[in-house]
Amino acid sequence: MSRPGFVLEVDERTPPLLFHHGEGFRLEKLPLGSRVVYPPESLPGIKDVDAAIDHALDHPENSEPLKALLKPGMRLTIAIDDISIPLPQMKAPDIRSRVLEHVLERVARAGVDDVELIIATALHRRMTAAEVKRAVGERVYRSFWPGQLYNFDAEDRANLTLVGRTELGEHVEISKRAAESDLLIYVNINLVAMDGGHKSVPVGLASYRSLRAHHNVNTLMHSRSYMDPATSALHSSATRMGRLLANHLKIFTIETTLNNDTFGEPFGFLQRREWEWSARDQAAYLAVKTATDRAPAHIKRSIFHKIYSPYGITGVNAGETEAVHAKTLARLHRQQLVEVNGQADILIAGLPFVGPYNVNSIMNPILVVCMGLGYFFNMYRGQPLVRPGGAMIIFHPVRREFHQIHHPSYVDFFEEVLAQTRDPAVIESKFEEAYANDPWYIHLYRTSHAYHGVHPFYMWYWAAHGMDYLGDVIFVGGDRKTVARLGFRSAGSLADALEMASETVGYSPRITAMKVPPLLLADVR
C-alpha cells in the first residue's frame, strides 16, 4: 500500500529540499519551523488494464453497455483529449490508444462504418502527426489519419453548430460533426480534479463564442479553486453547457485516472523524499544538476521533453458523464489529497519544465504566470495554502523566450499588452477581441501549430484570482526585466526572497512549501 501525503515540519535534522526550477533544480534549506507538504506516494496501478477497459465499456455507469449503443448505419464520433495531458507525457502505450482499440473493436463488430475521431484541441495548437500517432497508437493512426482522425478547428465556421443557450444565455457552440452524431464518445485522461466531467465536450470541441462564456475574468475570479469543481464558477458554467448538450446528444464518457509514478530513472530521485535518497539517488541528482547547470536552455528542453512517465492506471470508468466523473474524482482524491491544518503567510513552490501548454515547446513568461498563480496556487480544496494578502515565492528562471510557431500571439501580448496594463479586466475589455479575431493569428491557428490568438489572454485570466488574492509574488532566479514586465519581483536567492516577503507579511512568518510534482491537492482546513 502507498503511504499518504503528509506535512513535515522542518527541524535541524531536515536535509535541504529539492525544488524544480524550470529545466533545472535548486536545493534549498528552509527556515526552522517551516512546513513542507509532500504528495502521496503512488497507488498501485491496475494489473490488467485491458480487462478494466472491457469491464467499464460492458458495465457502464447509468448507461447501456457500449455495444448496445452501436448500430449499423449510425454516425459515430469519438473525441480524444489532446497533448495538454498528462504531464509529462506517459510511456507508450498511451492509455488513450488502449481505450480506443477496445472501442473500435466493438464499433467494427457492430458494423458501424461512419466513424470520425477528433482531437479535442479547442483553442489549443494542432497536434503534429507524430504527436497524434503517439497518443492514439500505431494501428488507430494508420487506419484513420488524416481523413477520419483530425484536429478540431474552432475557426471552421462551416463545421460548427449552435446547439442552444443555457438558462444564463451562454452559447453552446461545438463541432457540427459531434453535435449531429447519433453517439459521441469522449476518451479522457483525468490528471487533476479540474479535468473531465462536463468540462470535456463543451470545452474541447467548442468555439471561441462558446468558450468566452467561462474563460473570462469575472468567471475565473469567482472560481475558488479550479481544482474544486463544487466551488468553481468555471465548472458551473461548463456543467450548464454539458447538461444542455446531454439533452440534445447521446454522450458516452470514458474517463481514466493515473497514479503518481511521474518520474522513472534516471530522474527517480524526484519521486522520493530527500531524506530517503540512497547513494545512487544522490549521484543521479548531482549528475543531472551538473548537466542542466551547464547546458544551454534549448538543450535542456530537448532532454526534459523526452521524459516519459511510467504512470500506472488507477481507474477506468465509462457511461453517463456525471456518474462517471463522480467516480473519477473519488479516485483522484484518493491519490492526491493531503490534509493541511491552517494557512501560511508565505507559500513556496518550484515550477517544473512542462505545463499544459508547452509540451514539446517553451514555457514562456505568460505560461510561467499561469502555471504558478493559475495552477499551483489553485492546488487546494477548501482554502488556499497561503492566507489572503500573503506572499508566494516561486522558483523559475522566467526567461524572455517564446516558441515562435506555437505561441506567436504570446509575443505580442507580452510586448504590447503588458507594456500598457497588467489589469486582467482592462486587458479583457481593451484588447481581447482584437487578438481573438485577428486574421493572421486565425490563419496560424488553422494551418500551422499555433495556439489561438486569444490564448495568452486566457492564461493571464487564469492567474487573475491568484494575483488578486496575494499581496506579493517573488520569483527566485527569475530574469529581472522579464519579471518586472509581468508586474512581480525577483530575487537571487531564497534568503533574499524571504527577506523581501517579510515587508509584506511581517517578520517571523509561517512558511509552507509544496513539493509538486508529483501532484498533490491540499485539503486546507
Side-chain angles (χ1 to χ4, degrees), residues 189-460:
I189 297 177
N190 235 97
L191 187 66
V192 292
M194 185 185 75
D195 303 329
H198 284 304
K199 192 172 171 290
S200 292
V201 175
V203 173
L205 297 178
S207 68
Y208 168 62
R209 178 164 69 155
S210 197
L211 288 168
R212 67 188 304 186
H214 40 68
H215 280 54
N216 61 67
V217 175
N218 182 63
T219 299
L220 296 175
M221 285 286 287
H222 290 86
S223 296
R224 306 278 197 269
S225 103
Y226 309 141
M227 303 300 167
D228 186 6
T231 65
S232 168
L234 167 70
H235 286 84
S236 296
S237 178
T239 296
R240 288 189 293 272
M241 292 179 168
R243 288 174 177 171
L244 184 148
L245 283 173
N247 289 331
H248 290 80
L249 171 66
K250 179 66 177 177
I251 301 173
F252 189 85
T253 296
I254 306 170
E255 294 192 342
T256 61
T257 51
L258 310 176
N259 66 11
N260 260 356
D261 285 342
T262 306
F263 298 104
E265 302 305 331
F267 297 94
F269 61 90
L270 294 171
Q271 285 287 133
R272 293 179 276 278
R273 294 150 188 161
E274 291 82 357
W275 64 88
E276 298 173 336
W277 282 7
S278 65
R280 183 176 180 180
D281 290 327
Q282 293 176 38
Y285 160 72
L286 288 172
V288 170
K289 189 172 191 313
T290 299
T292 55
D293 284 350
R294 293 176 178 174
H298 71 281
I299 298 296
K300 289 189 281 190
R301 280 195 294 271
S302 68
I303 294 171
F304 277 93
H305 281 284
K306 288 183 174 62
I307 293 177
Y308 297 111
S309 300
Y311 302 114
I313 309 304
T314 59
V316 182
N317 288 291
E320 185 272 324
T321 301
E322 293 187 21
V324 167
H325 198 55
K327 292 205 164 186
T328 296
L329 287 177
R331 279 202 174 91
L332 278 172
H333 288 162
R334 187 173 168 224
Q335 174 60 88
Q336 297 176 3
L337 212 58
V338 183
E339 291 187 3
V340 180
N341 291 319
Q343 296 177 296
D345 299 303
I346 299 174
L347 175 63
I348 302 174
L351 302 188
F353 67 97
V354 67
Y357 316 110
N358 75 304
V359 178
N360 298 326
S361 189
I362 296 171
M363 188 179 288
N364 64 56
I366 310 304
L367 293 179
V368 170
V369 173
C370 176
M371 191 71 167
L373 301 181
Y375 282 91
F376 276 44
F377 170 80
N378 278 281
M379 288 291 189
Y380 70 88
R381 188 176 76 168
Q383 55 185 345
L385 278 163
V386 59
R387 66 166 173 83
M392 189 168 181
I393 296 174
I394 302 171
F395 294 105
H396 197 276
V398 201
R399 301 185 191 94
R400 200 176 191 136
E401 294 180 295
F402 297 84
H403 196 293
Q404 298 297 323
I405 294 175
H406 295 164
H407 302 122
S409 65
Y410 279 74
V411 179
D412 295 335
F413 182 92
F414 182 86
E415 298 292 351
E416 298 174 3
V417 175
L418 293 184
Q420 298 183 53
T421 180
R422 303 182 191 98
D423 186 307
V426 175
I427 288 172
E428 182 180 50
S429 64
K430 188 174 180 180
F431 297 101
E432 180 185 310
E433 289 206 20
Y435 275 65
N437 298 314
D438 184 280
W440 180 240
Y441 295 146
I442 291 173
H443 171 74
L444 294 176
Y445 163 79
R446 299 194 66 191
T447 63
S448 181
H449 296 282
Y451 282 82
H452 195 278
V454 80
H455 203 261
F457 290 79
Y458 290 171
M459 299 301 94
W460 197 254

